Amino acid sequence: MSDTKNFMFLNRRAPYGTIYAWESLEVVLIAAAFEQNVSLMFVDDGVYELTKSQDTAGIGMKNFSPTYRTLGDYEVRHMYVDKASLEARGLTADDLVQVEWEDWETEESVDNIVEVVDSERVAELLEESDVVFSF
Amino acid sequence: MKFSIQVNEGPYQHQASDSAYQFTKAALEKGHECFRVFFYHDGVLNGTRLTTPPQDDRNIVNNWTELAEKYDLDLVVCVAAAQRRGIVDEGEAERNGKDATNIAPRFRISGLGQLVEAAIQSDRLVVFGD
């Protein structure tokens, strides 16, 4: 099983209210362990998954948002956020967590792999993917 | 073409499992291959043998079992999702100290790696759910 594919995880839902976002993250971690090229895309309410300062104490749910910040350590190289979805919700890139990435072998590093992209680019990125996991 | 199928919703509440079943059946009848059907999220609830729908309704769980028997389909239920929702086979009952099992015939419980492998090995991964 030496094949490497471009995996795109399309995250469309708010982090709480349903379990899709959380269980999606579990697939991301496994896919990265399979040494696939893993990217994430956040659209619609999915952009809330990356917002800073989440506090779930009032709803009795585990706050799993810190996991997103560790994805760079799992060799996730790209996290794209749909600009139109952000704007429609009154959010900007400043409201989102930053995710660092570093290649342990080459020491190449990127301060923040979270990138806001326009709708045209969203479509291109989905087109370029071999597999789209939609959550 | 070699397909894999992901089912993200439980039976009856949502049409996803019916649609996935109809799609899989049609694809197999047309001579396509199905590498694996993977049940995730509430989709794992398709794998309990304890459902008893009214007699004049379709039996979704049995439909999957029968399709698997006919075509030797690999029906895989995600272990982490299954543990949350109470889908149990003998191994899980033993590991987690449960007093019963409910896994339907031809279903098996395994890890998310099976979904990732299915996506790698198949020409298309078709996802059913919202």
Side-chain angles (χ1 to χ4, degrees):
Chain A
M1 215 172 60
S2 58
D3 320 43
T4 304
K5 285 188 172 179
N6 294 321
F7 276 25
M8 177 64 84
F9 287 84
L10 182 62
N11 298 282
R12 301 174 290 129
R13 292 186 177 87
Y16 309 100
T18 66
I19 201 170
Y20 298 103
W22 186 357
E23 286 190 333
S24 164
L25 202 47
E26 292 181 2
V27 188
V28 171
L29 300 177
I30 299 288
F34 272 68
E35 299 190 344
Q36 302 300 299
N37 296 325
V38 176
S39 301
L40 279 66
M41 172 75 73
F42 297 85
V43 303
D44 299 339
D45 278 351
V47 300
Y48 287 120
E49 293 178 29
L50 290 185
T51 52
K52 285 179 191 162
S53 309
Q54 293 181 26
D55 179 358
T56 58
I59 55 170
M61 303 239 187
K62 177 174 158 179
N63 180 353
F64 60 92
S65 65
T67 309
Y68 292 103
R69 300 190 58 192
T70 68
L71 289 180
D73 300 332
Y74 288 91
E75 299 189 20
V76 171
R77 182 61 186 80
H78 295 285
M79 294 169 69
Y80 302 102
V81 182
D82 174 44
K83 188 163 182 271
S85 301
L86 267 187
E87 287 176 352
R89 288 159 183 79
L91 299 171
T92 69
D94 290 339
D95 296 307
L96 306 178
V97 295
Q98 299 199 348
V99 180
E100 287 174 39
W101 176 86
E102 184 178 355
D103 187 317
W104 300 103
E105 284 167 17
T106 64
E107 292 188 357
E108 181 193 352
S109 70
V110 178
D111 289 343
N112 185 17
I113 60 170
V114 177
E115 186 185 341
V116 178
V117 294
D118 63 24
S119 302
E120 206 172 311
R121 186 77 183 120
V122 170
E124 280 173 11
L125 288 162
L126 292 175
E127 182 68 31
E128 289 165 9
S129 304
D130 296 313
V131 185
V132 178
F133 289 88
S134 178
F135 288 100
Chain B
M1 185 171 281
K2 193 196 287 184
F3 289 103
S4 280
I5 308 296
Q6 183 180 341
V7 182
N8 285 343
E9 309 291 343
Y12 301 103
Q13 170 103 5
H14 199 291
Q15 200 178 330
S17 181
D18 291 281
S19 300
Y21 168 77
Q22 301 292 357
F23 178 92
T24 306
K25 186 165 172 279
L28 291 166
E29 284 168 355
K30 286 275 184 189
H32 296 291
E33 193 182 333
C34 182
F35 180 78
R36 180 168 293 146
V37 182
F38 192 87
F39 297 87
Y40 198 42
H41 302 307
D42 277 0
V44 300
L45 298 172
N46 288 287
T48 170
R49 66 171 185 268
L50 300 184
T51 55
T52 313
Q55 285 191 350
D56 58 354
D57 195 359
R58 74 240 186 263
N59 188 318
I60 297 176
V61 177
N62 289 356
N63 280 349
W64 280 115
T65 296
E66 285 160 18
L67 196 65
E69 274 166 4
K70 185 168 179 188
Y71 291 98
D72 196 23
L73 265 184
D74 189 17
L75 305 179
V76 179
V77 174
C78 169
V79 62
Q83 285 173 344
R84 285 190 174 114
R85 294 165 179 85
I87 301 296
V88 182
D89 63 8
E90 281 182 14
E92 282 295 296
E94 200 170 324
R95 261 188 299 282
N96 301 311
K98 302 299 178 187
D99 62 1
T101 69
N102 61 349
I103 191 90
R106 300 293 310 212
F107 284 78
R108 65 188 180 93
I109 295 179
S110 189
L112 278 171
Q114 300 274 306
L115 172 61
V116 175
E117 185 202 23
I120 294 169
Q121 296 294 335
S122 306
D123 300 312
R124 293 282 187 281
L125 174 73
V126 186
V127 183
F128 292 85
D130 267 339

